[in-house]
Amino acid sequence: VVNHPFQPYFLHGHVVAAPLLVLCLGHFGVRHAYLFWSSGIQEGRKTGLGLVLLGLPMVMSGYFLQVSVHPVWRTVWLIVHLSTSAGWIVACGLHVVIHVLARRKVVAST
């Protein structure tokens, strides 16, 4: 929320935590996405691809948002960052649900 008393703290916390979150994206990209993609497992491919495709503009717009000085570009990058972040959160939730349901199906069939 704009002009909330805690806004500066959350903004600074996000800026500090963002590099760690980007490292986590890379880790999951290699340790999870690549392994599942190369194994031929079909569950979660669409949402996983959505996470990858939304991840790049989310990360880049966050960077450009910090270094832009012109108000118009800051607004553009803010809109891109918020919309791709919201889409990424939704896709991540769907992705987790798909994986949980797939694992339950495997466990139930054994």
Side-chain angles (χ1 to χ4, degrees):
V1 177
V2 177
N3 296 326
H4 190 278
F6 292 131
Q7 180 185 0
Y9 302 109
F10 280 99
L11 180 61
H12 293 285
H14 182 73
V15 170
V16 169
L20 297 173
L21 297 171
V22 172
L23 287 173
C24 289
L25 285 175
H27 173 77
F28 280 109
V30 172
R31 295 287 182 182
H32 175 77
Y34 178 74
L35 292 177
F36 272 81
W37 192 271
S38 61
S39 70
I41 295 174
Q42 297 297 316
E43 291 86 2
R45 278 195 178 207
K46 291 178 183 176
T47 54
L49 183 60
L51 289 170
V52 171
L53 294 177
L54 286 169
L56 183 61
M58 178 177 65
V59 170
M60 294 308 295
S61 62
Y63 170 75
F64 291 138
L65 183 60
Q66 292 182 47
V67 298
S68 296
V69 292
H70 196 278
V72 172
W73 280 110
R74 286 189 56 80
T75 302
V76 167
W77 295 123
L78 178 65
I79 291 168
V80 171
H81 190 64
L82 291 175
S83 59
T84 55
S85 297
W88 193 91
I89 289 169
V90 169
C92 187
L94 290 171
H95 192 68
V96 168
V97 168
I98 288 169
H99 274 285
V100 167
L101 293 176
R103 286 193 179 178
R104 285 184 182 172
K105 185 192 299 185
V106 168
V107 169
S109 67
T110 56

